[in-house]
Amino acid sequence: MAHWAFGGASGETAGASRVDLHTHSSCSDGSLAPVELVRRAAGCGIRALSITDHDTMDGVGAALGAAAQLPPECGFVFLPGVEISAAYGGGGNRNGGRGKSGSNSGGSGAGRWGGGAGPPRREIHILGYFLPQGGESLAPFIEMMKRERTARNLRIIGRLNALGVRVSAEDAEAEAKKSVFGRPHIAAALVKKGYARDMNGAFERYLAFGGRAYAPKESPTPAECVAAIHEAGGVAAIAHPMRSGLRQRELKALIAELAPHGLSGIEAYYADNTPQDTANCVAIASAFGLIMTGGSDFHGEYRKNVRLGSGRGNLRVPDELPDILIERLQRMRRP
């Protein structure tokens, strides 16, 4: 089975990148089904696309099929991907990690998330590309992550109910349609039932770190994530490093820690980056010999101000990045 698919597209959107290597489908927390997402990308002139759903590769097969059906003359390429959440800092282990990217756990203490001194725990996301056979060799690791994500979402529903908010798992599942529901689907249910004005309000009041119904989830360490991707034959990269809350020296220390486990790159181009953020990421990639990736973090209707290929209007991912990724993969797999 091919690990990526080629097709074609027309109608390039002026000013937008032709490359988007960080998007989400309805298989995690995006609003578009994988086939719809591939077709939307092709229709707006994107040449290379990766769907990097959170802790699942369930949409890869459908996306590969949709990409293969596109006309070949314009050279569309689909790169299978995944985004895995990890806990870093504070002596983090499989019981570590809480909060959204860039949020601290808020001190130490005993209990589910452990304790002890050290830097605060942060959530680090690891991107994995080109996992063979749609990721079957990574399946046990991803299945563990999916189980914890589901358990976490049910804890959130329970906390909402304890607050008197009458939203059920069935309400969230209806928003997710045929996919496993996540926080955006819970947020959509809250909006529909009048408990929040919009998605941002639902997250701020209830679902984000510090929200009234927020629940953390157990996560592996970044090293475990990188090692699992690398051992499965994929290319591992740190996602949106500037959102991690790490200072540059901390980010460099993390990269040095992950290099022996198979880290290959960092996401240097990202919708929320400032020009200086991108310049810093490019310099760090050069210093450590890492490849660079980039993408919008598109979620469809769940993040209406983030568009495919252009993010918030400021994203420009270099056209050559997919070829560099493929070259790195080929080099890794040479005997």
Side-chain angles (χ1 to χ4, degrees), residues 58-290:
D58 287 351
V60 165
L64 281 168
Q69 291 173 8
L70 294 170
E73 54 267 19
C74 294
F76 183 92
V77 59
F78 176 76
L79 286 63
V82 69
E83 183 175 13
I84 304 177
S85 301
Y88 181 66
N93 49 37
R94 192 170 301 285
N95 292 327
R98 61 183 296 177
K100 58 185 179 180
S101 296
S103 296
N104 297 348
S105 64
S108 61
R112 180 187 182 101
W113 306 105
R121 287 191 175 95
R122 294 182 171 91
E123 188 170 286
I124 304 294
H125 290 181
I126 304 296
L127 295 164
Y129 296 103
F130 302 116
L131 293 158
Q133 288 81 48
E136 282 92 337
S137 56
L138 195 66
F141 187 87
I142 288 181
E143 189 58 36
M144 176 192 71
M145 299 295 295
K146 287 169 66 177
R147 285 197 301 269
E148 172 52 26
R149 183 174 289 272
T150 298
R152 183 262 195 113
N153 292 332
L154 292 175
R155 290 195 295 270
I156 290 174
I157 294 290
R159 294 185 181 194
L160 286 168
N161 293 164
L163 293 169
V165 176
R166 301 178 70 84
V167 169
S168 66
E170 290 73 21
D171 294 327
E173 287 170 348
E175 296 296 327
K177 299 180 175 65
K178 296 182 180 180
S179 303
V180 176
F181 74 87
R183 285 189 297 171
H185 307 117
I186 300 173
L190 289 168
V191 172
K192 184 173 287 187
K193 291 203 165 190
Y195 290 107
R197 182 175 59 184
D198 54 27
M199 297 283 287
N200 286 338
F203 269 87
E204 289 173 5
R205 185 173 185 183
Y206 296 110
L207 305 178
F209 179 73
R212 299 179 69 195
Y214 174 79
K217 66 182 175 70
E218 294 185 6
S219 299
T221 65
E224 289 175 311
C225 294
V226 168
I229 292 167
H230 183 70
E231 289 167 8
V235 176
I238 298 174
H240 41 66
M242 296 297 106
R243 284 188 60 194
S244 66
L246 298 176
R247 299 174 181 173
Q248 280 205 50
R249 60 179 176 80
E250 294 171 321
L251 177 59
K252 291 176 181 178
L254 174 61
I255 290 170
E257 177 185 327
L258 298 182
H261 298 279
L263 182 71
S264 293
I266 63 171
E267 189 174 41
Y269 302 90
Y270 184 69
D272 288 345
N273 276 7
T274 66
Q276 188 60 54
D277 288 337
T278 299
N280 290 342
C281 286
V282 170
I284 289 171
S286 177
F288 283 88
L290 299 174

